Amino acid sequence: MKALSLLAVLACGPALVAAAAVPRPPAAAPAKSVHLFHRHSHAAELHRSVEAAADASTVLVDEQLDGGAASASAGALFVLPHSSMPAFDVVPPTVRPKPGFFASTHAAAAPGVLPDTKNLLELVASHSTLSTLAKLVNERDAFVAALSDPNADLTVFAPSDEAFDRLHNTPPSEAVTEILLYHIVNPAVPAAKLVDGALLTTAYSPESLGGRPQKIRVITRDGIIRLNWHSNVEETDLVAKNGVVHVIDRLLFPPPNAFWVVAHLPLEFAALTLALKRAELSDAVKTTPAITVFAPTNKAFAKLGLRRLAYLFSEAGREKLVQILEYHVSPALVYSPDIIESPTGNTTLPTLLKGKVLEVAVKTDDDDHGETNVVEINGESHVIEADGIAGNGVLHAIDTVLLPFEWSVLDTAANAWFGAQVDGFMDAETAGVLGKVFAGQH
């Protein structure tokens, strides 16, 4: 790959000139942090990036589906117009609900809503827009038993017939079974409790999460309830004797792996995507089960300054880049409620970098939205958007890159390397990504 000289890199934009001319001090925590589940500045940009990706008219999944399992080999092309976002990537085989999942927890029905005399199975079968779902459920004995169980207390997110019509091809039967599991939640959740940022526990427990149940994330916008960003709840609170049904306009597909999520949001994570590729860690983030990724945004990388980034993306800085990235991934699966509801308010998480841990703390802050929770890592980085659901874990976007060593260690190495450069020092791909990051285009 062709290397670029300093002058060529600086030609990418005025922001790069400033970044190269003035060495940046170590990144510090912002004066005003961004809060979980609230739409402040940077977090709002992240939402726009996700929504832009979710609003793509067609999602192409080029994968071989065999008995419910998907691989990256060339195979059947499934065209899913307006599918749920994130789109369907991997459907592990033989996924079944955990024992006791369908047991009743006796959740109360929505206030003022009288339960139907039908059970969930009968309610779905009798609804005029749910005939396709009813057919698929009745073809599967386990679902018939679960939805007709008088002791159950479940939520069914029921795709309408139009939602199924959006599929250009029907997935294999085993994959359909696993997709249906992802539409069932325990316990019954009335619409009043489908609040922004809520995480719902489904009957889908893939091996990629270590057997833990996959989540659905609730997003609310202008009175509209959305699931995983792109499936809208059209009809709410159809209450049966053993649960509640909410009709949705798009199918919910089990989410893709963590690297897929990062790589498909370049407006926020172009630098992280390139870093994972350069460090040869993309496969680890794709396949390691039940992980938590603290994902620095492009703005977080830009705070490092050009000199540090140029060094880290060079062959000389690769070892330190690997250490930094491994420090952002924990083999412990931790959603924001796990952190916020910690008895001490503090959580120590192991990382993929041997011997290094992350110290996660919850602080409260008062602003125009009232009292809010702020999640802080190592006292210097803040979660600006939590609970990005992935097939093998969860992602939390953060505003500052975390270092597993002192800043002076990075600066000494970067300055020595930078001073030894005479001509080419950055390949075209790196220069292109970093140029856009510093110019604010990513």
Side-chain angles (χ1 to χ4, degrees), residues 134-387:
K135 177 179 181 294
L136 293 172
V137 166
N138 278 297
E139 291 171 350
R140 292 161 172 80
D141 292 342
F143 285 87
V144 170
L147 299 188
S148 60
D149 183 354
N151 295 316
D153 188 33
L154 303 174
T155 302
V156 177
F157 289 106
S160 66
D161 292 336
E162 287 188 4
F164 283 100
D165 289 343
R166 297 176 191 274
L167 290 174
H168 288 204
N169 303 90
T170 302
S173 178
E174 188 67 21
V176 171
T177 298
E178 293 157 0
I179 292 168
L180 292 179
L181 286 173
Y182 193 52
H183 287 76
I184 299 177
V185 167
N186 186 5
V189 182
K193 292 187 178 180
L194 296 176
V195 297
D196 194 41
L199 295 176
L200 308 176
T201 301
T202 74
Y204 177 67
S205 301
E207 295 173 5
S208 59
L209 286 179
R212 292 179 61 172
Q214 184 56 274
K215 303 288 188 180
I216 293 172
R217 183 175 171 187
V218 179
I219 303 97
T220 59
R221 291 288 185 281
D222 301 322
I224 298 173
I225 301 171
R226 307 176 78 182
L227 307 176
N228 288 2
W229 290 107
H230 205 56
S231 182
N232 298 325
V233 178
E234 293 184 316
E235 191 174 354
T236 62
D237 291 331
L238 304 177
V239 181
K241 292 188 295 185
N242 57 346
V244 63
V245 174
H246 304 297
V247 181
I248 58 178
D249 67 350
R250 292 172 174 84
L251 272 78
L252 295 166
F253 291 95
N257 64 69
F259 180 76
W260 191 101
V261 175
V262 168
H264 283 74
L265 292 173
L267 293 180
E268 291 299 332
F269 300 119
L272 177 59
T273 300
L274 180 61
L276 289 169
K277 290 178 179 178
R278 289 299 170 83
E280 297 182 354
L281 290 174
S282 53
D283 284 343
V285 176
K286 284 180 184 178
T287 61
T288 303
I291 59 172
T292 300
V293 179
F294 291 97
T297 63
N298 291 333
K299 288 187 176 181
F301 274 97
K303 288 164 66 174
L304 291 176
L306 177 60
R307 184 171 299 193
R308 294 186 183 119
L309 287 175
Y311 167 70
L312 289 172
F313 282 95
S314 72
E315 186 59 34
R318 184 178 178 279
E319 181 180 353
K320 285 187 170 53
L321 179 63
V322 170
Q323 293 172 353
I324 290 171
L325 294 175
E326 288 181 338
Y327 192 51
H328 286 77
V329 181
S330 174
L333 180 59
V334 180
Y335 299 95
S336 65
D338 301 324
I339 299 171
I340 294 170
E341 295 167 11
S342 170
T344 63
N346 297 286
T347 305
T348 299
L349 296 177
T351 70
L352 295 186
L353 184 59
K354 186 175 181 180
K356 297 292 184 177
V357 299
L358 297 173
E359 298 296 339
V360 184
V362 180
K363 298 183 178 181
T364 57
D365 192 13
D366 291 318
D367 63 5
D368 295 339
H369 298 271
E371 188 174 274
T372 57
N373 293 307
V374 180
V375 174
E376 190 174 73
I377 305 100
N378 290 357
E380 61 178 343
S381 187
H382 303 84
V383 173
I384 59 172
E385 185 62 30
D387 300 320

Side-chain angles (χ1 to χ4, degrees), residues 62-75:
D62 186 9
E63 295 180 310
Q64 178 69 47
L65 294 173
D66 181 14
S71 73
S73 60

